[in-house]
Amino acid sequence: MKIIGNGGHARVIAAMLDGNTEDGTVIAVGDNAARKREAETHAGGTFPILIGAGVFVAKSVMVGEGTVIMSGAVIQAGARIGKFCIINTGASVDHDCVLGDYVHIAPGAHLCGHVEVGEGTLVGVGVGVAPGCKIPAWSLVKARRLEIVPLQEHC
């Protein structure tokens, strides 16, 4: 398996493959626009769907070429996932969601049923998306900001 990319996402993919000799290429680039450029540059290649450990994908789910589904993810009945997407660690995509190509659902993000996510969108870490939402192409759905409050000193 040829891996395109050399950042953190590529290291996770390499660990996921753990010496697998499957034919094809994986575009292990976390940035959605850059992943799209790589896919266009290498058009005509073989891009398998990669599925990590502990993943549940319902039988009725459709997944596009080159998509990577990381450990602990859940994809429920009727969902359609575009090509070259990343469904990251512990994320969930509930029933009848539609994800365009090059979408990244970040770790711990959760899409309720019937959510539509436009091409190239990043749904940030830990974000929850309400049922039926439609997110436009090339959007960024930001995670909540972590507020750190110092604890009072204890005796």
Side-chain angles (χ1 to χ4, degrees), residues 33-52:
R35 193 168 58 258
K36 180 177 182 178
R37 285 190 300 274
E38 289 292 344
E40 290 170 345
T41 298
H42 295 89
T46 301
F47 302 98
I49 297 164
L50 298 182
I51 299 177

Side-chain angles (χ1 to χ4, degrees), residues 71-89:
S71 297
V74 174
I75 305 177
Q76 297 289 10
R80 292 181 297 171
I81 312 296
K83 62 184 180 181
F84 300 103
C85 291
I86 300 170
I87 310 301
N88 222 315
T89 309

Side-chain angles (χ1 to χ4, degrees), residues 35-127:
R35 193 168 58 258
K36 180 177 182 178
R37 285 190 300 274
E38 289 292 344
E40 290 170 345
T41 298
H42 295 89
T46 301
F47 302 98
I49 297 164
L50 298 182
I51 299 177
V55 169
F56 173 78
V57 178
K59 289 181 181 178
S60 60
V61 170
M62 295 172 49
V63 180
E65 71 171 342
T67 288
V68 177
I69 305 170
M70 306 304 260
S71 297
V74 174
I75 305 177
Q76 297 289 10
R80 292 181 297 171
I81 312 296
K83 62 184 180 181
F84 300 103
C85 291
I86 300 170
I87 310 301
N88 222 315
T89 309
S92 64
V93 177
D94 221 303
H95 64 87
D96 304 305
C97 288
V98 178
L99 279 60
D101 299 336
Y102 313 106
V103 164
H104 182 171
I105 307 300
H110 302 289
L111 308 182
C112 290
H114 296 281
V115 170
E116 294 179 22
V117 181
E119 177 181 299
T121 292
L122 168 59
V123 177
V125 64
V127 168

Side-chain angles (χ1 to χ4, degrees), residues 5-43:
N6 62 1
H9 185 60
R11 288 194 313 274
V12 173
I13 295 292
M16 197 169 118
L17 292 171
D18 193 29
N20 184 338
T21 58
E22 184 177 351
D23 289 336
T25 301
V26 59
I27 300 176
V29 175
D31 177 85
N32 295 351
R35 193 168 58 258
K36 180 177 182 178
R37 285 190 300 274
E38 289 292 344
E40 290 170 345
T41 298
H42 295 89

